[in-house]
Amino acid sequence: MTGRWYIIVLAAIISIVLATKGFQLWLLFLIAYFIYFLLKNRNRIRMYSLFLVLSLLLYFISSSVIDQNNETKLSSKQTSFFGTISSIPHVNGDRLSFQYKTANGEKLLTNYYIKSEKEQQQLKNLSVGMQCVLKGSLHTPSPPTNYFAFDYKQYLYYQKIHWNFSPESIRLDRCRPSSFSLHYMLQKSRQQGIQSVIDDYPDEAKGIVAALIFGDRGYIDEGVLEAYEQLGVIHLLAVSGLHVGLIFSALFFIFIRLGITRERTISILLLLLPVYSVIAGGAPSVLRATWMTVVVLLSLRLKKRVHSLDGISFVCLLYLFISPYSLFQLGFQLSFLISFTLIISTEIVRKQSHNFFQLLTVTFISQCVSLPIIVFHFYEISWLSLPLNLIYIPFISLVILPAVFFTYVIHILVPFIGHYLLNVLGDIIFYSHEALKWINGFSFSSILVGKFDVWLAFSLFMIILIGLYFLEKKAPLKYWMVLIGGVSSLLFIHYINPYLNAEGEVTVLDVGQGDSIFIELPYRKAVYLIDSGGLVSFGRDEAWRRRSSKFEVGKDIVVPFLKAKGIRTIDKLILTHGHFDHIGGAEALLDQVNVKELLYAKGPVEDEFERRLLSEFHLRGTTIQFVKKGMAWSKAGSKFYVLSPQGNEESLNNRSVVLLSKLGGINWLFTGDLEESGEERLIEDFPHLDVDVLKAGHHGSRTSSSPRFIDHIQPKAVLISVGRNNRFQHPHQEVITAFEERDIPIFRTDTNGAIRIKFTNERVSNIETMLEVKDKKGLPTR
C-alpha cells in the first residue's frame, strides 16, 4: 500500500458523505476512480478490495454514530445553567460572544449585549476556562433566509452547537476559575498573548500579528481582510506548514546548539507540537501542519521512511475519523487538497531550474487546484492572484513572518527595544496593506463567475488533476488541446446558461425591515433591482458601542446574491424614495456592480446621504433619471409603467416610485412605501387598475394597503417585505386581516424568508420561499 493510502482517504470521503448527506451525484466520480484503480491493480485486487470495503464500513459506521448522536439534550424552556466558558470571550463594541459548555457537555453559542461602558470594561476580565452560573433564554439558530446565503445553522450543527444563548446578565462574582485543565490553561495563555498584542502593538500591526502567531483574524481591519480575500492571498494569514516549519526548525537548531541529542530534541518537539496547535488556534491548516510534522519526526525518530503521500493520508484519515464534519469546512478542503496536489506534483516542481520558477510553479498549481472551490464559495476569482502571490508569499514568508516572531520575543525580553521595532513593523505592514487595498479598489481586479454547481466544480478539479498528470508526463499537444477544449466548454456552458433560460424571476430578498426586489427577465434580457435595503440604526452611536465589523444589508445580502447569480450589470436600479431602509444598501453596489441607469423619484433631494449616493453613481458613469407619473418602457415583451410620483408630494413615502409591470402574463404593482393618501390618488387616476400581485406598501403598515385600495385593485397575491420582530410591529394585524378576509395569499419575508417567483413570457411557472414552501394553489394566472 506504499504511496496508495490516498485511496483509503477517498473511501472515507464517500462514507462520510453517505452517512451525513446521503447519495450525491458527484460521488460517481470517486466510484469511477475506484473501479479504474482496481482494474489497474488486478494482481492485488483482492487485497485492495478488502482494504476499501473495510475502510468504507469503518468510516460509514463511525460517521453515522457521530451524526445520530449530534442532537441537543436541552429544552428551550431551560433558563438557568452552570457551565464553562470554552472559547476565548470576544468583546466587539457592545457585544460579547463566546462558547459556553454546560454541565452535561453541550455547547451553547453565547451572545450578550453589553449595557454600559463600565460593564464592558468589567467583562474584559472574563477568560476561557471560567465556570459561570448564567440565566437567559435559548433560541434555535436561524436557517438561511436568502438564496445563496451562508447556512449558519448548518455551520453550528457541524460544530455540535444547537442553541443560541442570550444571558440576561453576566456577573463576575458568579464566575470562578475552573479546576486544572491543560487545554484551558493553554487557551488562557493564548488569550493573554492575543490581549498583549492588542494592547501593545500599533493599530496597523496588531491584526496581522494576532493572525500569524495565534491564528486569530478577528482584529484585522475589515477593508484589509476584504482585500486579502478578494485578491486571493487570504491563505497567507492562516497558520500553516510555513509557520510550523519556521518555528520548529528554529527550535531544533537551538536545542542541538545547546548540546541536546538529536533523539531527545525530536522527543521534545513531539511534546511541543500539540501545545503549539492549541496556541495557534487549532484551525484545519494548523492541525494538518502539526500532525504532518509529527509524522515526519516520528519517521526520523524510528528511522522508518514514510512516503509523503501516505503521511498526509494518515493525517487526513485520523482527522476525519475524529471529526468527520471537518470534511465540509472550507479550511479543511483547501488545506488538504492543496497539500495532496503539491505532493503528487513534486516532480513537476523539482524539474524547475531556479527557485523563482519553483515558486511560480507551486503558486500556479495551488491557484489552479483551489480555483473550483474558491469560485463555488465566493463566486469570483482574482486574475491578479498569481502575480500578487509571487510578490506577497516571499514578502510574508521571508520578511513579515520572521519579523513578527522576532519582535514578539524581543518585546517580551527587552520591552524598550521591542517598542521601537514594533513601530517599524507597523509602518511596513501599513504600507503593504495600503497597496493591497489600492489594488483591490480597481473593478478589474477580479472576474465575476457566479456560483458553480457541485458537478461543475468537481469536473474542473478532475480536469486540473489530469492536466498536472499531462504536465509531468510531457503529454503531446493534442492531449492539451482536448483538455483545454473541455475546460472551455464547461465554462462557456456555465456562462451562457442564464441567457438560455426561458424563465425569469422576481425575488423579494429578505433584507429585514426594508425593501429590495430583484427582477430578471427571461433569457436575461434585462436585470432590474427595485431598492437595495438598508439597516437603520436607532439610539446613540457612542464610541464604546461601535463594532469593528458591522452588518450591512447591501454588502452582506444584496451584493452576494447578485454575485452568486453572476450579475455583472444592472440595467436599471430603481430607488423608490430616499429612506435609508430602501437606499442604504445601494452604496455597496458602487464598486461591485455596473449600474447602467438609476431611476429616482422626481422631487427635491434633501438628505445628504441621498445627494452623495446619486453623485457617486453619476461619477461612475451611471445615467441618473428622475421619474414621474406617465413614464414607461418595455423590454423583451415585458412592460413597465410609472404610476407615481407627480413630484409635488410633501410626504417622502408618498413620493415613492410606484411601478406597474407586466411580467409572465400578469400585472405586478410595486408600491415602495406608498401610504393611504397616495393610494387614494392612484384610485382616482387609474379607475381600472388591474393587479395580480401586489407588493404591499410600507412593509404592511396600517398607513397603507387600505381596504378601499385592496378592493379597487383586487390582487390575487400579496408580497410583504418586513423585518422579524421589528420595533414598528409591521405588518399590522388589521392589514393582514384585510387580506385574509378577501382570501388573498400572503407571502412575508419575516416568516417565509426570501420569496422567488419564476415566470416565462406567457405565465408564472413557480413560486417558492426559503423558509416555507408554498404550492401553486392560488397563483395568479391569466
Side-chain angles (χ1 to χ4, degrees):
M1 286 291 288
T2 302
R4 293 182 173 87
W5 278 91
Y6 70 90
I7 199 73
I8 307 301
V9 173
L10 298 182
I13 292 172
I14 290 176
S15 294
I16 291 170
V17 173
L18 289 174
T20 58
K21 289 182 174 292
F23 180 75
Q24 308 288 313
L25 281 176
W26 60 268
L27 291 178
L28 293 174
F29 286 96
L30 299 185
I31 294 171
Y33 183 79
F34 275 163
I35 296 172
Y36 165 77
F37 179 83
L38 292 173
L39 291 175
K40 187 180 178 182
N41 296 274
R42 290 187 186 89
N43 56 330
R44 297 185 177 180
I45 192 169
R46 289 186 178 180
M47 183 186 74
Y48 288 145
S49 297
L50 179 62
F51 265 100
L52 288 174
V53 170
L54 290 176
S55 302
L56 286 166
L57 286 174
L58 174 65
Y59 279 87
F60 182 82
I61 292 171
S62 63
S63 300
S64 297
V65 170
I66 289 173
D67 195 52
Q68 288 170 8
N69 290 324
N70 188 10
E71 56 185 20
T72 183
K73 300 178 181 66
L74 302 176
S75 164
S76 60
K77 296 179 181 179
Q78 290 180 254
T79 58
S80 297
F81 302 92
F82 173 74
T84 305
I85 298 175
S86 58
S87 69
I88 296 176
H90 183 57
V91 175
N92 184 13
D94 61 354
R95 182 181 179 184
L96 168 68
S97 58
F98 55 85
Q99 288 184 18
Y100 179 70
K101 183 177 285 188
T102 62
N104 69 357
E106 184 160 348
K107 292 186 292 185
L108 307 178
L109 183 65
T110 304
N111 288 294
Y112 175 67
Y113 292 93
I114 303 171
K115 301 176 180 65
S116 68
E117 187 174 5
K118 180 181 178 182
E119 185 183 33
Q120 182 193 62
Q121 294 303 317
Q122 292 173 341
L123 291 177
K124 287 182 179 180
N125 294 315
L126 283 176
S127 67
V128 62
M130 276 189 169
Q131 293 180 329
C132 300
V133 176
L134 298 178
K135 287 187 177 182
S137 55
L138 295 176
H139 310 278
T140 55
S142 299
T145 62
N146 281 294
Y147 297 98
F148 312 112
F150 177 67
D151 193 340
Y152 195 60
K153 183 176 183 178
Q154 185 180 70
Y155 168 77
L156 293 179
Y157 177 82
Y158 289 155
Q159 295 190 57
K160 300 181 181 179
I161 298 176
H162 305 281
W163 297 100
N164 286 322
F165 178 47
S166 302
E168 296 172 358
S169 64
I170 299 179
R171 292 170 47 185
L172 291 178
D173 61 355
R174 305 202 70 182
C175 296
R176 67 170 189 262
S178 61
S179 55
F180 176 78
S181 164
L182 179 60
H183 176 74
Y184 286 139
M185 184 183 73
L186 294 175
Q187 284 278 40
K188 189 172 182 179
S189 299
R190 179 171 181 256
Q191 179 181 355
Q192 291 169 346
I194 293 172
Q195 193 59 50
S196 70
V197 169
I198 303 308
D199 292 339
D200 300 337
Y201 276 63
D203 291 340
E204 298 81 6
K206 64 178 61 173
I208 193 170
V209 172
L212 294 179
I213 296 180
F214 299 105
D216 189 340
R217 300 180 195 169
Y219 299 95
I220 299 177
D221 176 76
E222 193 172 5
V224 172
L225 193 60
E226 183 180 303
Y228 271 97
E229 289 174 348
Q230 295 187 353
L231 294 174
V233 290
I234 187 66
H235 61 93
L236 296 175
L237 299 179
V239 178
S240 61
L242 178 66
H243 304 68
V244 176
L246 178 69
I247 293 170
F248 284 85
S249 295
L251 289 175
F252 187 88
F253 176 80
I254 292 170
F255 290 153
I256 294 295
R257 287 293 179 184
L258 290 174
I260 301 174
T261 64
R262 176 186 172 92
E263 289 74 15
R264 183 157 294 182
T265 294
I266 291 175
S267 299
I268 294 172
L269 295 182
L270 286 172
L271 292 174
L272 290 177
L273 276 163
V275 173
Y276 176 73
S277 68
V278 177
I279 295 294
S285 60
V286 177
L287 295 176
R288 173 193 57 77
T290 52
W291 290 3
M292 192 65 189
T293 306
V294 168
V295 171
V296 172
L297 290 175
L298 282 175
S299 68
L300 291 173
R301 187 73 173 81
L302 302 174
K303 298 180 180 179
K304 289 187 179 294
R305 186 177 180 276
V306 178
H307 193 285
S308 299
L309 198 55
D310 291 342
I312 191 71
S313 297
F314 295 151
V315 171
C316 188
L317 287 169
L318 178 61
Y319 202 139
L320 290 176
F321 186 78
I322 296 172
S323 177
Y325 294 132
S326 298
L327 179 64
F328 308 114
Q329 293 179 1
L330 176 61
F332 176 91
Q333 294 167 7
L334 289 176
S335 180
F336 278 95
L337 193 60
I338 292 173
S339 297
F340 269 107
T341 307
L342 289 176
I343 288 173
I344 65 176
S345 306
T346 303
E347 287 303 314
I348 300 174
V349 177
R350 284 177 179 170
K351 289 177 182 178
Q352 308 308 312
S353 57
H354 192 275
N355 289 341
F356 173 77
F357 293 112
Q358 289 185 348
L359 174 62
L360 178 62
T361 304
V362 168
T363 303
F364 178 74
I365 291 172
S366 301
Q367 294 292 303
C368 285
V369 78
S370 63
L371 183 65
I373 295 179
I374 293 295
V375 174
F376 179 80
H377 287 281
F378 300 112
Y379 324 130
E380 60 186 343
I381 56 175
S382 171
W383 66 271
L384 293 173
S385 181
L386 182 59
L388 281 174
N389 271 281
L390 290 176
I391 297 170
Y392 272 81
I393 285 178
F395 176 67
I396 297 292
S397 307
L398 303 178
V399 179
I400 297 299
L401 186 59
V404 162
F405 282 105
F406 179 74
T407 55
Y408 186 76
V409 173
I410 294 297
H411 180 64
I412 294 173
L413 299 178
V414 193
F416 69 94
I417 297 177
H419 179 72
Y420 170 76
L421 294 176
L422 293 185
N423 289 328
V424 174
L425 178 65
D427 289 339
I428 296 172
I429 292 174
F430 172 76
Y431 288 113
S432 66
H433 284 171
E434 285 299 304
L436 273 182
K437 289 196 290 185
W438 178 71
I439 294 170
N440 192 49
F442 292 104
S443 58
F444 60 78
S445 63
S446 60
I447 302 171
L448 182 61
V449 180
K451 186 174 180 63
F452 278 176
D453 291 327
V454 175
W455 70 266
L456 177 58
F458 213 91
S459 299
L460 288 174
F461 174 67
M462 297 301 292
I463 290 174
I464 289 167
L465 290 183
I466 294 171
L468 293 175
Y469 176 78
F470 285 175
L471 191 62
E472 183 177 347
K473 299 299 182 182
K474 297 182 178 179
L477 181 61
K478 61 181 181 180
Y479 290 103
W480 283 105
M481 295 302 293
V482 172
L483 204 65
I484 293 171
V487 172
S488 301
S489 298
L490 288 173
L491 293 177
F492 181 70
I493 291 170
H494 173 73
Y495 177 80
I496 67 167
N497 185 56
Y499 301 95
L500 301 177
N501 189 357
E503 285 188 324
E505 69 174 79
V506 174
T507 299
V508 183
L509 295 175
D510 179 13
V511 292
Q513 188 68 10
D515 275 15
S516 186
I517 303 168
F518 172 81
I519 301 175
E520 180 182 3
L521 300 186
Y523 305 104
R524 195 165 281 182
K525 292 292 184 181
V527 171
Y528 306 133
L529 186 67
I530 303 176
D531 288 331
S532 58
L535 186 65
V536 181
S537 299
F538 298 96
R540 294 177 296 170
D541 187 23
E542 298 169 276
W544 71 270
R545 290 186 180 276
R546 293 174 194 156
R547 301 176 187 174
S548 57
S549 59
K550 189 167 62 173
F551 174 81
E552 295 177 10
V553 169
K555 176 175 68 71
D556 297 314
I557 295 179
V558 180
V559 169
F561 174 82
L562 296 174
K563 285 186 175 183
K565 292 189 69 65
I567 302 296
R568 302 162 187 84
T569 299
I570 294 175
D571 295 284
K572 293 184 190 294
L573 172 60
I574 304 153
L575 299 179
T576 58
H577 63 294
H579 283 155
F580 197 82
D581 60 330
H582 289 253
I583 69 170
E587 195 170 28
L589 302 176
L590 286 166
D591 296 318
Q592 300 292 334
V593 185
N594 174 39
V595 178
K596 289 184 177 179
E597 186 177 15
L598 191 155
L599 307 186
Y600 209 74
K602 184 176 179 60
V605 180
E606 300 169 346
D607 185 74
E608 182 184 346
F609 178 78
E610 288 182 78
R611 293 195 296 269
R612 180 165 58 83
L613 183 67
L614 295 178
S615 298
E616 290 292 336
F617 273 108
H618 178 70
L619 289 173
R620 286 161 174 76
T622 300
T623 301
I624 310 293
Q625 184 175 4
F626 291 89
V627 298
K628 64 177 183 178
K629 172 187 171 184
M631 302 184 72
W633 76 90
S634 61
K635 184 73 176 180
S638 298
K639 298 178 181 179
F640 301 85
Y641 307 92
V642 178
L643 307 187
S644 187
Q646 294 179 336
N648 57 1
E649 293 84 356
E650 293 183 5
S651 163
L652 196 56
N653 283 343
N654 282 325
R655 202 186 301 160
S656 294
V657 174
V658 177
L659 194 65
L660 177 67
S661 308
K662 191 171 185 66
L663 303 167
I666 65 173
N667 293 332
W668 308 64
L669 188 66
F670 303 100
T671 59
D673 272 357
L674 191 71
E675 296 183 322
E676 188 171 355
S677 59
E679 293 173 349
E680 287 296 322
R681 184 162 41 78
L682 289 182
I683 293 172
E684 295 174 8
D685 293 348
F686 303 97
H688 303 293
L689 184 57
D690 191 12
V691 173
D692 297 293
V693 179
L694 168 69
K695 200 292 293 183
H698 204 189
H699 320 293
S701 166
R702 63 170 62 93
T703 60
S704 304
S705 305
S706 66
R708 174 172 150 81
F709 182 66
I710 296 172
D711 290 335
H712 180 73
I713 62 175
Q714 296 185 347
K716 313 299 187 299
V718 62
L719 313 174
I720 304 177
S721 183
V722 63
R724 289 168 193 79
N725 304 315
N726 64 85
R727 61 187 292 156
F728 308 103
Q729 298 184 334
H730 293 161
H732 289 139
Q733 186 54 50
E734 49 263 52
V735 174
I736 297 299
T737 301
F739 288 124
E740 289 177 343
E741 287 176 346
R742 291 159 177 79
D743 200 24
I744 300 172
I746 303 170
F747 299 88
R748 301 166 42 170
T749 56
D750 62 334
T751 56
N752 299 124
I755 306 157
R756 180 160 64 186
I757 304 172
K758 294 187 176 182
F759 61 90
T760 64
N761 284 327
E762 294 80 27
R763 64 185 183 87
V764 171
S765 54
N766 186 39
I767 183 168
E768 59 186 14
T769 61
M770 277 295 295
L771 299 184
E772 200 175 306
V773 178
K774 301 275 185 178
D775 60 26
K776 294 185 179 181
K777 183 179 179 181
L779 279 177
T781 57
R782 284 183 179 266

Short mmCIF file of all heavy atoms in Angstrom, two decimals, residues 476-510:
data_model
loop_
_atom_site.label_atom_id
_atom_site.label_comp_id
_atom_site.label_asym_id
_atom_site.label_seq_id
_atom_site.Cartn_x
_atom_site.Cartn_y
_atom_site.Cartn_z
N PRO A 476 1.67 15.06 -25.39
CA PRO A 476 1.69 15.79 -26.66
C PRO A 476 0.63 16.89 -26.71
O PRO A 476 -0.33 16.89 -25.94
CB PRO A 476 1.38 14.71 -27.71
CG PRO A 476 1.25 13.44 -27.00
CD PRO A 476 1.37 13.65 -25.54
N LEU A 477 0.80 17.80 -27.64
CA LEU A 477 -0.07 18.97 -27.76
C LEU A 477 -1.53 18.60 -27.94
O LEU A 477 -2.42 19.27 -27.42
CB LEU A 477 0.41 19.85 -28.93
CG LEU A 477 -0.39 21.13 -29.17
CD1 LEU A 477 -0.32 22.04 -27.95
CD2 LEU A 477 0.13 21.85 -30.42
N LYS A 478 -1.78 17.52 -28.68
CA LYS A 478 -3.18 17.16 -28.98
C LYS A 478 -3.96 16.84 -27.70
O LYS A 478 -5.16 17.12 -27.59
CB LYS A 478 -3.24 15.98 -29.95
CG LYS A 478 -2.61 14.70 -29.44
CD LYS A 478 -2.70 13.59 -30.50
CE LYS A 478 -2.09 12.28 -29.99
NZ LYS A 478 -2.18 11.21 -31.01
N TYR A 479 -3.27 16.25 -26.71
CA TYR A 479 -3.94 15.96 -25.44
C TYR A 479 -4.30 17.26 -24.71
O TYR A 479 -5.37 17.38 -24.09
CB TYR A 479 -3.06 15.09 -24.55
CG TYR A 479 -2.91 13.67 -25.04
CD1 TYR A 479 -1.75 13.26 -25.69
CD2 TYR A 479 -3.92 12.73 -24.88
CE1 TYR A 479 -1.60 11.96 -26.14
CE2 TYR A 479 -3.80 11.43 -25.33
CZ TYR A 479 -2.63 11.04 -25.97
OH TYR A 479 -2.50 9.76 -26.42
N TRP A 480 -3.38 18.22 -24.77
CA TRP A 480 -3.63 19.52 -24.14
C TRP A 480 -4.79 20.24 -24.82
O TRP A 480 -5.59 20.90 -24.14
CB TRP A 480 -2.37 20.38 -24.19
CG TRP A 480 -1.35 19.99 -23.18
CD1 TRP A 480 -0.19 19.31 -23.39
CD2 TRP A 480 -1.41 20.23 -21.77
NE1 TRP A 480 0.48 19.11 -22.23
CE2 TRP A 480 -0.24 19.67 -21.20
CE3 TRP A 480 -2.31 20.86 -20.93
CZ2 TRP A 480 0.04 19.73 -19.84
CZ3 TRP A 480 -2.04 20.92 -19.57
CH2 TRP A 480 -0.88 20.35 -19.04
N MET A 481 -4.88 20.11 -26.11
CA MET A 481 -5.97 20.76 -26.84
C MET A 481 -7.32 20.21 -26.41
O MET A 481 -8.30 20.94 -26.25
CB MET A 481 -5.77 20.58 -28.35
CG MET A 481 -4.52 21.27 -28.90
SD MET A 481 -4.50 23.06 -28.58
CE MET A 481 -5.87 23.59 -29.61
N VAL A 482 -7.36 18.87 -26.23
CA VAL A 482 -8.60 18.24 -25.77
C VAL A 482 -8.96 18.75 -24.37
O VAL A 482 -10.12 19.07 -24.08
CB VAL A 482 -8.47 16.70 -25.76
CG1 VAL A 482 -9.69 16.06 -25.09
CG2 VAL A 482 -8.31 16.18 -27.18
N LEU A 483 -7.95 18.83 -23.51
CA LEU A 483 -8.17 19.27 -22.13
C LEU A 483 -8.64 20.72 -22.09
O LEU A 483 -9.61 21.05 -21.40
CB LEU A 483 -6.87 19.12 -21.34
CG LEU A 483 -7.00 18.98 -19.82
CD1 LEU A 483 -7.73 17.69 -19.47
CD2 LEU A 483 -5.63 19.00 -19.17
N ILE A 484 -7.96 21.57 -22.83
CA ILE A 484 -8.35 22.99 -22.88
C ILE A 484 -9.74 23.14 -23.46
O ILE A 484 -10.55 23.96 -22.99
CB ILE A 484 -7.32 23.80 -23.69
CG1 ILE A 484 -5.97 23.82 -22.95
CG2 ILE A 484 -7.81 25.22 -23.93
CD1 ILE A 484 -4.83 24.39 -23.76
N GLY A 485 -10.04 22.33 -24.47
CA GLY A 485 -11.39 22.36 -25.06
C GLY A 485 -12.46 21.96 -24.05
O GLY A 485 -13.54 22.56 -24.01
N GLY A 486 -12.14 20.96 -23.19
CA GLY A 486 -13.09 20.53 -22.17
C GLY A 486 -13.35 21.62 -21.15
O GLY A 486 -14.50 21.89 -20.79
N VAL A 487 -12.28 22.26 -20.66
CA VAL A 487 -12.43 23.35 -19.69
C VAL A 487 -13.22 24.50 -20.31
O VAL A 487 -14.15 25.05 -19.68
CB VAL A 487 -11.06 23.84 -19.20
CG1 VAL A 487 -11.22 25.11 -18.35
CG2 VAL A 487 -10.34 22.77 -18.42
N SER A 488 -12.85 24.87 -21.53
CA SER A 488 -13.53 25.99 -22.21
C SER A 488 -15.01 25.71 -22.40
O SER A 488 -15.85 26.59 -22.21
CB SER A 488 -12.86 26.26 -23.55
OG SER A 488 -11.49 26.58 -23.39
N SER A 489 -15.31 24.47 -22.74
CA SER A 489 -16.72 24.11 -22.96
C SER A 489 -17.52 24.20 -21.67
O SER A 489 -18.64 24.74 -21.65
CB SER A 489 -16.81 22.69 -23.53
OG SER A 489 -16.16 22.59 -24.77
N LEU A 490 -16.96 23.68 -20.57
CA LEU A 490 -17.66 23.73 -19.30
C LEU A 490 -17.91 25.17 -18.85
O LEU A 490 -19.00 25.52 -18.41
CB LEU A 490 -16.85 22.98 -18.24
CG LEU A 490 -16.82 21.46 -18.34
CD1 LEU A 490 -15.85 20.87 -17.32
CD2 LEU A 490 -18.21 20.86 -18.14
N LEU A 491 -16.86 26.00 -18.96
CA LEU A 491 -17.00 27.40 -18.54
C LEU A 491 -17.96 28.16 -19.44
O LEU A 491 -18.72 29.02 -18.98
CB LEU A 491 -15.63 28.08 -18.52
CG LEU A 491 -14.65 27.57 -17.46
CD1 LEU A 491 -13.30 28.28 -17.59
CD2 LEU A 491 -15.21 27.76 -16.05
N PHE A 492 -17.94 27.84 -20.73
CA PHE A 492 -18.84 28.50 -21.69
C PHE A 492 -20.29 28.13 -21.39
O PHE A 492 -21.18 29.00 -21.39
CB PHE A 492 -18.47 28.11 -23.11
CG PHE A 492 -19.35 28.77 -24.15
CD1 PHE A 492 -19.25 30.13 -24.39
CD2 PHE A 492 -20.27 28.02 -24.87
CE1 PHE A 492 -20.06 30.74 -25.35
CE2 PHE A 492 -21.08 28.61 -25.82
CZ PHE A 492 -20.98 29.98 -26.06
N ILE A 493 -20.53 26.85 -21.09
CA ILE A 493 -21.89 26.42 -20.75
C ILE A 493 -22.36 27.13 -19.49
O ILE A 493 -23.51 27.59 -19.41
CB ILE A 493 -21.93 24.88 -20.55
CG1 ILE A 493 -21.71 24.17 -21.89
CG2 ILE A 493 -23.25 24.44 -19.92
CD1 ILE A 493 -21.50 22.68 -21.76
N HIS A 494 -21.46 27.23 -18.50
CA HIS A 494 -21.82 27.93 -17.25
C HIS A 494 -22.13 29.41 -17.53
O HIS A 494 -23.09 29.95 -16.97
CB HIS A 494 -20.65 27.83 -16.26
CG HIS A 494 -20.85 28.64 -15.02
ND1 HIS A 494 -21.73 28.29 -14.03
CD2 HIS A 494 -20.28 29.81 -14.61
CE1 HIS A 494 -21.69 29.18 -13.07
NE2 HIS A 494 -20.82 30.12 -13.39
N TYR A 495 -21.36 30.03 -18.40
CA TYR A 495 -21.54 31.45 -18.67
C TYR A 495 -22.84 31.74 -19.42
O TYR A 495 -23.56 32.68 -19.08
CB TYR A 495 -20.35 31.98 -19.48
CG TYR A 495 -20.47 33.43 -19.88
CD1 TYR A 495 -20.18 34.44 -18.98
CD2 TYR A 495 -20.93 33.78 -21.15
CE1 TYR A 495 -20.31 35.77 -19.34
CE2 TYR A 495 -21.07 35.10 -21.52
CZ TYR A 495 -20.76 36.10 -20.61
OH TYR A 495 -20.91 37.42 -20.98
N ILE A 496 -23.16 30.92 -20.42
CA ILE A 496 -24.32 31.23 -21.27
C ILE A 496 -25.62 30.68 -20.71
O ILE A 496 -26.70 31.02 -21.21
CB ILE A 496 -24.12 30.72 -22.72
CG1 ILE A 496 -24.10 29.17 -22.73
CG2 ILE A 496 -22.87 31.29 -23.34
CD1 ILE A 496 -24.23 28.59 -24.13
N ASN A 497 -25.53 29.83 -19.67
CA ASN A 497 -26.74 29.19 -19.16
C ASN A 497 -27.86 30.18 -18.82
O ASN A 497 -29.02 29.95 -19.19
CB ASN A 497 -26.39 28.33 -17.94
CG ASN A 497 -27.58 27.55 -17.45
OD1 ASN A 497 -28.20 26.79 -18.18
ND2 ASN A 497 -27.93 27.73 -16.18
N PRO A 498 -27.57 31.31 -18.13
CA PRO A 498 -28.66 32.25 -17.84
C PRO A 498 -29.29 32.84 -19.11
O PRO A 498 -30.48 33.19 -19.10
CB PRO A 498 -27.97 33.35 -17.02
CG PRO A 498 -26.74 32.72 -16.48
CD PRO A 498 -26.30 31.74 -17.51
N TYR A 499 -28.50 32.95 -20.17
CA TYR A 499 -29.01 33.56 -21.41
C TYR A 499 -29.80 32.56 -22.25
O TYR A 499 -30.37 32.93 -23.28
CB TYR A 499 -27.85 34.14 -22.22
CG TYR A 499 -27.07 35.18 -21.45
CD1 TYR A 499 -25.92 34.85 -20.73
CD2 TYR A 499 -27.51 36.50 -21.40
CE1 TYR A 499 -25.22 35.80 -20.01
CE2 TYR A 499 -26.81 37.47 -20.68
CZ TYR A 499 -25.67 37.10 -19.98
OH TYR A 499 -24.98 38.05 -19.26
N LEU A 500 -29.81 31.29 -21.82
CA LEU A 500 -30.60 30.26 -22.48
C LEU A 500 -31.82 29.86 -21.66
O LEU A 500 -32.63 29.04 -22.10
CB LEU A 500 -29.74 29.02 -22.73
CG LEU A 500 -28.48 29.22 -23.58
CD1 LEU A 500 -27.69 27.92 -23.67
CD2 LEU A 500 -28.84 29.72 -24.97
N ASN A 501 -31.93 30.44 -20.48
CA ASN A 501 -33.00 30.09 -19.56
C ASN A 501 -34.28 30.84 -19.90
O ASN A 501 -34.32 32.08 -19.86
CB ASN A 501 -32.57 30.41 -18.12
CG ASN A 501 -33.54 29.87 -17.09
OD1 ASN A 501 -34.58 29.31 -17.43
ND2 ASN A 501 -33.21 30.04 -15.83
N ALA A 502 -35.32 30.10 -20.24
CA ALA A 502 -36.59 30.72 -20.65
C ALA A 502 -37.37 31.29 -19.47
O ALA A 502 -38.39 31.95 -19.66
CB ALA A 502 -37.45 29.70 -21.40
N GLU A 503 -36.89 31.03 -18.26
CA GLU A 503 -37.57 31.54 -17.07
C GLU A 503 -36.89 32.80 -16.55
O GLU A 503 -35.67 32.86 -16.43
CB GLU A 503 -37.59 30.49 -15.96
CG GLU A 503 -38.58 29.37 -16.18
CD GLU A 503 -38.70 28.47 -14.96
OE1 GLU A 503 -37.68 28.25 -14.29
OE2 GLU A 503 -39.83 27.99 -14.69
N GLY A 504 -37.71 33.79 -16.23
CA GLY A 504 -37.24 34.94 -15.49
C GLY A 504 -37.65 34.78 -14.04
O GLY A 504 -38.24 33.76 -13.66
N GLU A 505 -37.36 35.77 -13.23
CA GLU A 505 -37.75 35.66 -11.82
C GLU A 505 -37.94 37.02 -11.19
O GLU A 505 -37.32 38.01 -11.59
CB GLU A 505 -36.73 34.85 -11.03
CG GLU A 505 -35.39 35.54 -10.83
CD GLU A 505 -34.46 34.74 -9.91
OE1 GLU A 505 -33.86 33.75 -10.38
OE2 GLU A 505 -34.35 35.12 -8.73
N VAL A 506 -38.80 37.04 -10.21
CA VAL A 506 -38.93 38.17 -9.29
C VAL A 506 -38.61 37.62 -7.91
O VAL A 506 -39.27 36.70 -7.44
CB VAL A 506 -40.35 38.77 -9.30
CG1 VAL A 506 -40.47 39.84 -8.22
CG2 VAL A 506 -40.68 39.36 -10.67
N THR A 507 -37.55 38.15 -7.28
CA THR A 507 -37.16 37.67 -5.96
C THR A 507 -37.21 38.83 -4.97
O THR A 507 -36.54 39.85 -5.16
CB THR A 507 -35.73 37.09 -5.97
OG1 THR A 507 -35.69 35.97 -6.86
CG2 THR A 507 -35.33 36.63 -4.58
N VAL A 508 -38.06 38.67 -3.97
CA VAL A 508 -38.10 39.65 -2.88
C VAL A 508 -37.07 39.18 -1.85
O VAL A 508 -37.28 38.18 -1.16
CB VAL A 508 -39.50 39.74 -2.25
CG1 VAL A 508 -39.51 40.81 -1.16
CG2 VAL A 508 -40.55 40.04 -3.31
N LEU A 509 -35.95 39.89 -1.77
CA LEU A 509 -34.89 39.50 -0.85
C LEU A 509 -35.30 39.79 0.59
O LEU A 509 -36.02 40.77 0.86
CB LEU A 509 -33.60 40.25 -1.17
CG LEU A 509 -32.96 39.95 -2.53
CD1 LEU A 509 -31.77 40.86 -2.75
CD2 LEU A 509 -32.53 38.50 -2.60
N ASP A 510 -34.85 38.96 1.49
CA ASP A 510 -35.09 39.21 2.91
C ASP A 510 -33.99 40.13 3.41
O ASP A 510 -32.90 39.69 3.76
CB ASP A 510 -35.10 37.90 3.69
CG ASP A 510 -35.32 38.11 5.19
OD1 ASP A 510 -35.71 39.23 5.56
OD2 ASP A 510 -35.09 37.17 5.97
#
